[in-house]
Amino acid sequence: MKPVTIRTADPKRDAAACVAIYRPYVEKGATAFEEELPEPSQFGERIARTLESHPWLVVERDDAVVGYSYACPHRYRPAYRWAVESSVYVAVEEQGKGYGRAVYAELFERLREQRFHIACAGITLPNDASVALHEGLGFVPVGVYRRIGWKAGAWRDVGWWELELLAPGDAPPPEPLPPRSRAGYDLAMAENQTEALTEDDVLEALEEVIDPELGLDFVSLGLVYDVEIEAEDVYVTFTLTTPACPIGPQVSEQMKEFVGDLPGVSAVHPKMVFDPPWSPEMMTEDAKFALGF
């Protein structure tokens, strides 16, 4: 994923871009249940109203808004005030690049800061991509509204998913807080913002993972096949010198520990494979020399 900026939406500056992103979801198919596309001025008012109590974020790449995410009250009776309904939209041509996951993850962090406990998401079915995105971020399915809406010439089912933002307790929860001030806030420029995580950073951390039999690190031995970074998640594909080697679970835990200590990393996902099989030719020259190859 290219470097992006995630920031609080500006109702005047971002409304037109958000409407352009929203257009195909309204006019084509049944993803959104609106029947007429709002004007940018109307959408700006919607953003402003939301920001009075809940976050609305946009994700920018190369100074262009490519997606947005927001939360709003799930219901308006007072006892529901710790629950929100969340939504995320990414420009059709920018889907599959990790932008939705990135802006959604930041949204949930802000909701936790505000002391919200539950995020609910409604998904018009079928929508495998949206289901995968939500479940990949920890949402669990809780039910389906059957034939709840008529859109694009057919009755539509809406599935509901929930994400627990904060663990429940027996005592009355603290009241939700207002959202971060939107005045000048920019995640990419905020104080203490670390530089973007790189593959080299991850590989350096993986040099702490040592093969106990050969006594060298996994990177030098050529046992790390691939590293992918998606927002705050790091995916590491690795192998072992032989499928019979029993250290796979131990290695996975070490990778989670060492890579998880890097600034900006929230989760590490090791994956062990044996295709292609490892061979000594995959080692660095220094490793070959140290082992006498």
Side-chain angles (χ1 to χ4, degrees), residues 43-284:
F43 212 81
E45 293 172 359
R46 185 180 300 184
I47 294 172
R49 285 195 304 272
T50 299
L51 286 171
E52 292 177 1
S53 58
H54 293 75
W56 187 309
L57 307 177
V58 296
V59 54
E60 282 185 323
R61 190 208 62 219
D62 299 332
D63 297 323
V65 174
V66 295
Y68 65 90
S69 179
Y70 65 92
C72 61
H74 177 60
R75 293 288 188 274
Y76 286 91
R77 297 292 175 88
Y80 284 111
R81 63 187 179 276
W82 291 275
V84 303
E85 192 168 321
S86 63
S87 298
V88 60
Y89 293 92
V90 175
V92 172
E93 67 275 12
E94 302 290 349
Q95 292 178 357
K97 300 178 182 179
Y99 301 137
R101 184 183 182 94
V103 71
Y104 228 5
E106 175 63 18
L107 181 80
F108 299 140
E109 285 305 307
R110 298 203 188 189
L111 290 170
R112 292 184 181 98
E113 289 179 2
Q114 289 186 246
R115 301 176 180 168
F116 290 112
H117 279 246
I118 294 290
C120 305
I123 303 173
T124 308
L125 302 177
N127 190 334
D128 292 343
S130 185
V131 170
L133 171 64
H134 285 81
E135 292 188 350
L137 286 165
F139 279 81
V140 295
V142 293
V144 178
Y145 290 172
R146 304 291 182 186
R147 299 175 299 281
I148 194 67
W150 176 271
K151 183 75 187 289
W155 287 107
R156 303 293 176 173
D157 296 345
V158 173
W160 285 93
W161 276 256
E162 281 187 4
L163 173 67
E164 186 177 275
L165 298 167
L166 296 176
D170 295 328
E175 290 296 319
L177 298 171
R180 294 183 193 178
S181 170
R182 64 179 181 270
Y185 184 83
D186 186 330
L187 182 65
M189 300 300 293
E191 292 183 6
N192 301 322
Q193 174 72 11
T194 58
E195 295 182 1
L197 185 70
T198 67
E199 183 177 337
D200 287 341
D201 296 329
V202 176
L203 290 173
E204 184 176 349
L206 291 173
E207 289 176 355
E208 301 295 325
V209 181
I210 306 298
D211 184 295
E213 294 185 358
L214 299 178
L216 294 177
D217 68 88
F218 266 54
V219 177
S220 298
L221 290 171
L223 295 170
V224 177
Y225 280 176
D226 186 51
V227 170
E228 292 187 13
I229 302 169
E230 294 185 6
E232 297 179 349
D233 287 60
V234 177
Y235 298 81
V236 180
T237 303
F238 72 97
T239 191
L240 301 176
T241 54
T242 171
C245 188
I247 64 171
Q250 173 187 342
V251 169
S252 293
E253 290 305 312
Q254 290 183 10
M255 289 182 173
K256 291 178 181 179
E257 176 185 354
F258 294 125
V259 178
D261 285 340
L262 293 172
V265 175
S266 62
V268 183
H269 310 274
K271 179 182 179 182
M272 184 169 58
V273 300
F274 293 102
D275 185 18
W278 178 84
S279 67
E281 287 74 21
M282 297 178 178
M283 296 189 294
T284 65

